[in-house]
Amino acid sequence: LDVTWANIDFANIDKATLNEIYAQSGLIENVTSYVNFNSTGLYSGTICAMTNDGSNSSERAIVKNCVNYGDFTVTNKENHYCGGIVGYTYQNSSIIDCTNYGNISGVAGILGGITGYTRTTTSDKTTIVKNCKNYGDVTSGSGHLGGIVGWTGNEIEFINCDNYGDIETTSNFGAGGIVGTYQASADSSYLKIANCYNGGNVRGRYI
């Protein structure tokens, strides 16, 4: 689905979200959500579930200047990808100038204050997360947790991103103020983290 969303305000309503939107390419801009909600889906984000599933990634998917104030609870016990803005951020995607204030909690999974998971398979389709801030707490009994991203692969850039939320897990998985877990691949090991700051507490077995 190629989408262009702009100037949307989810306020004073019981249930509204772009959580089921998969943005193959295009622009989601100036979207604000105040909605508290539960999710059982594989990909879950308060603004967008997934950007660019890789089937046709020649065009960049951009999520820009979006804000979430709602709390997000993940009740699915299986592996899932949940973010305060985007659930799963795939190649040739950008998340720019986005802020999350909502708390994110789950029984398991890969959870991040901005995006749950970032992944890129080729060097010419780098994914960028820039000028993003997370103020919400990210907690789970089991899973990979990060103030900006729960789990990231290669060909990813995190620039000028800050986390002020507390990150806590009791599992044997990664937890971090910016990145919870980083996994390099055999064909690439490029990861850039520049001018990022963590002001939250991080509690876990591997931090």
Side-chain angles (χ1 to χ4, degrees):
L1 176 64
D2 297 337
V3 297
T4 299
W5 296 86
N7 303 316
I8 301 173
D9 195 340
F10 293 150
N12 302 318
I13 51 180
D14 292 331
K15 187 175 183 181
T17 177
L18 302 185
N19 184 47
E20 300 301 325
I21 291 293
Y22 285 31
Q24 178 62 39
S25 64
L27 175 67
I28 298 175
E29 185 177 24
N30 301 331
V31 178
T32 302
S33 176
Y34 300 86
V35 180
N36 300 323
F37 67 94
N38 299 326
S39 175
T40 60
L42 178 60
Y43 307 112
S44 301
T46 63
I47 304 299
C48 179
M50 182 180 187
T51 61
N52 212 329
D53 64 7
S55 61
N56 181 16
S57 57
S58 60
E59 300 293 332
R60 181 165 289 269
I62 301 171
V63 180
K64 184 178 181 181
N65 197 33
C66 295
V67 182
N68 172 60
Y69 293 95
D71 292 337
F72 197 147
T73 302
V74 181
T75 56
N76 187 354
K77 295 183 179 180
E78 304 298 328
N79 288 333
H80 56 261
Y81 308 91
C82 169
I85 302 296
V86 179
Y88 189 113
T89 307
Y90 199 42
Q91 59 193 14
N92 212 15
S93 298
S94 296
I95 304 176
I96 302 172
D97 298 327
C98 292
T99 303
N100 173 60
Y101 293 96
N103 296 320
I104 300 172
S105 61
V107 294
I110 299 171
L111 314 180
I114 299 299
T115 180
Y117 186 89
T118 55
R119 178 189 177 197
T120 299
T121 57
T122 58
S123 60
D124 63 334
K125 297 176 181 177
T126 299
T127 288
I128 299 170
V129 181
K130 184 177 181 180
N131 300 336
C132 293
K133 290 180 172 57
N134 174 60
Y135 294 91
D137 296 338
V138 183
T139 58
S140 177
S142 177
H144 305 266
L145 311 182
I148 302 299
V149 61
W151 186 322
T152 186
N154 301 304
E155 306 298 335
I156 312 294
E157 295 183 357
F158 299 95
I159 303 171
N160 301 332
C161 293
D162 299 333
N163 171 62
Y164 299 96
D166 291 340
I167 314 300
E168 183 172 5
T169 180
T170 57
S171 71
N172 291 323
F173 300 107
I178 303 300
V179 175
T181 297
Y182 166 60
Q183 182 180 30
S185 65
D187 57 347
S188 175
S189 59
Y190 175 70
L191 173 67
K192 179 178 180 179
I193 301 177
N195 299 321
C196 294
Y197 172 77
N198 174 54
N201 298 311
V202 181
R203 301 180 181 91
R205 295 185 182 181
Y206 299 98
I207 59 177

